[in-house]
Amino acid sequence: MNDYCLRARDQRKPIKKRFQCFPSPKPIPFSIPIPNASEVVIIGGGIVGVCTAIFLANRDVQVTLLEKGRIAAEESSRNWGWIRKQGRDADELPIVIEACRLWQQLADECLEDIGLRQTGVTYVARTAKDMAAFEDFMKIAAAHDLDTRLVDGNDVSSVASGMSRRFSGAMTTPGGHARLR
């Protein structure tokens, strides 16, 4: 199948309505010949491959980046771009914190808008059990100096406007979102 599908968040919908499919973009032909030699060859033009190539090139390493389709149009384009710290395992947080720093550095170094936005992430709690899990994460957040905060049910609309139902509370953390261009 050459199409890709986005899965709907609402699992109560009938199976045929849970997916929205889009035709795959056609590859862009590249007419420049592949170099005969290179110090480093990177296979895959997703965010990891592109960033690796940029960092190596900034250190005067000759890099060849190979991609079967469009740059950042495969898996890198399907994760919805969230760069979140909230809700992570404690062991992942140092890596995520460094990734956030590197995203900002990349945005600062590029000569055009890469789509990095500092929008934040909010999880809403439907039950007291959900809020208890959020409280558990607060210990992890504090240990890593995250600006995470809990919001009680009366104040959920202050972090997630337009909510039509009442929630037990929410947990919110400033963070980033990147929509690669």
Side-chain angles (χ1 to χ4, degrees), residues 12 124-127 130 153 156-157 160 162-168:
R12 296 169 293 183
V124 294
R126 293 183 173 157
T127 65
D130 291 340
V156 170
S157 64
M163 302 299 267
S164 61
R165 73 173 280 205
R166 179 147 170 75
F167 290 94
S168 296

Side-chain angles (χ1 to χ4, degrees), residues 92-141:
E92 294 176 344
L93 277 170
I95 297 167
V96 173
I97 291 166
E98 176 65 3
C100 290
R101 187 191 69 73
L102 290 172
W103 267 106
Q104 189 59 59
Q105 179 183 329
L106 180 63
D108 294 342
E109 289 176 1
C110 286
L111 300 177
E112 60 183 71
D113 179 12
I114 65 168
L116 180 64
R117 304 290 180 264
Q118 299 297 324
T119 57
V121 175
T122 299
Y123 295 168
V124 294
R126 293 183 173 157
T127 65
K129 183 178 176 182
D130 291 340
M131 281 304 289
F134 293 168
E135 288 169 10
D136 289 344
F137 182 77
M138 292 300 293
K139 297 170 196 153
I140 296 169

Side-chain angles (χ1 to χ4, degrees), residues 3-55:
D3 293 345
Y4 63 92
C5 300
L6 295 178
R7 188 173 187 175
R9 290 179 179 259
D10 188 351
Q11 296 299 311
R12 296 169 293 183
K13 288 184 177 182
I15 190 77
K16 287 189 176 186
K17 293 187 179 182
R18 283 191 211 163
F19 296 91
Q20 182 176 5
C21 295
F22 303 91
S24 292
K26 291 184 177 156
I28 298 171
F30 191 70
S31 59
I32 298 172
I34 296 173
N36 290 329
S38 187
E39 290 180 68
V40 175
V41 176
I42 298 170
I43 300 173
I47 190 62
V48 172
V50 170
C51 286
T52 301
I54 289 170
F55 283 104

